[in-house]
Amino acid sequence: MIYVIPVVLSLIFAVGAARKVKLYDSFVAGVKEAVGLSIRLLPYLAVVFMAMELMRASGLSAMLGKAVSPVFSLLGIPDELAELLILRPLSGSGSLAVLEGIYEQYGVDSYISRSASVIMGSSDTVLYIAAVYFSGYKENGTRAAVPIALVVTFLGAITACLICRFL
């Protein structure tokens, strides 16, 4: 395992030398492109981070969690996971804070904590990833990607709760 990175780098240098690629020039060109992408990406990330932190700090996510918890209960999702399900697609750090609160309140071996752990491990911050991936994409064919990802995340949460109930 310790030799993976040196072996990969050696292969890159060997293939580049065999194909007579100017490795240094290619590396510099890649860095230039990455810096440009970072600059284009910054406004999208700033908006997502600010909006999610404001939502969590203002208590809006907790209020939304209480409002949708009856619907979640009908679908087999415990009321205590409503805020986590609202925050998880939006904020990684916010959902981690909610997860820590769930662990403290219910213990790590409870059904609620196990379900929360599976939800955290099987989902990701949809809006952050969409902002990163689509910031450099010029086409408009990405409109359905975020709603589909949110629906799949929600269906995954229902499945996680169902599986954890029987395990």
Side-chain angles (χ1 to χ4, degrees):
M1 219 42 198
I2 195 168
Y3 298 110
V4 171
I5 293 176
V7 167
V8 169
L9 288 175
S10 298
L11 283 173
I12 290 171
F13 286 126
V15 170
R19 293 185 178 179
K20 297 183 179 169
V21 174
K22 296 180 180 178
L23 293 175
Y24 182 76
D25 293 339
S26 297
F27 179 77
V28 170
V31 170
K32 283 182 185 177
E33 187 176 322
V35 169
L37 176 64
S38 298
I39 291 170
R40 287 192 312 269
L41 183 62
L42 191 60
Y44 295 100
L45 292 178
V47 167
V48 168
F49 285 141
M50 284 189 292
M52 295 317 110
E53 187 57 31
L54 284 172
M55 184 175 166
R56 189 178 67 80
S58 69
L60 179 62
S61 62
M63 287 189 292
L64 285 173
K66 286 180 183 176
V68 297
S69 62
V71 175
F72 286 178
S73 291
L74 291 174
L75 297 171
I77 299 172
D79 295 344
E80 298 83 0
L81 299 181
E83 185 178 5
L84 178 67
L85 285 175
I86 290 171
L87 274 180
R88 182 62 183 150
L90 307 173
S91 169
S93 60
S95 57
L96 232 102
V98 171
L99 180 66
E100 184 180 347
I102 290 171
Y103 287 163
E104 287 176 6
Q105 186 171 359
Y106 300 101
V108 294
D109 288 335
S110 67
Y111 162 66
I112 292 168
S113 295
R114 285 183 289 129
S115 297
S117 296
V118 173
I119 290 167
M120 284 291 291
S122 64
S123 61
D124 212 336
T125 52
V126 172
L127 295 183
Y128 171 77
I129 290 174
V132 170
Y133 286 160
F134 298 144
S135 65
Y137 194 66
K138 305 291 185 233
E139 300 286 327
N140 285 335
T142 60
R143 283 186 227 143
V146 172
I148 290 171
L150 291 173
V151 167
V152 169
T153 298
F154 185 67
L155 292 175
I158 293 171
T159 305
C161 293
L162 180 67
I163 290 171
C164 288
R165 183 174 301 254
F166 296 108
L167 292 179

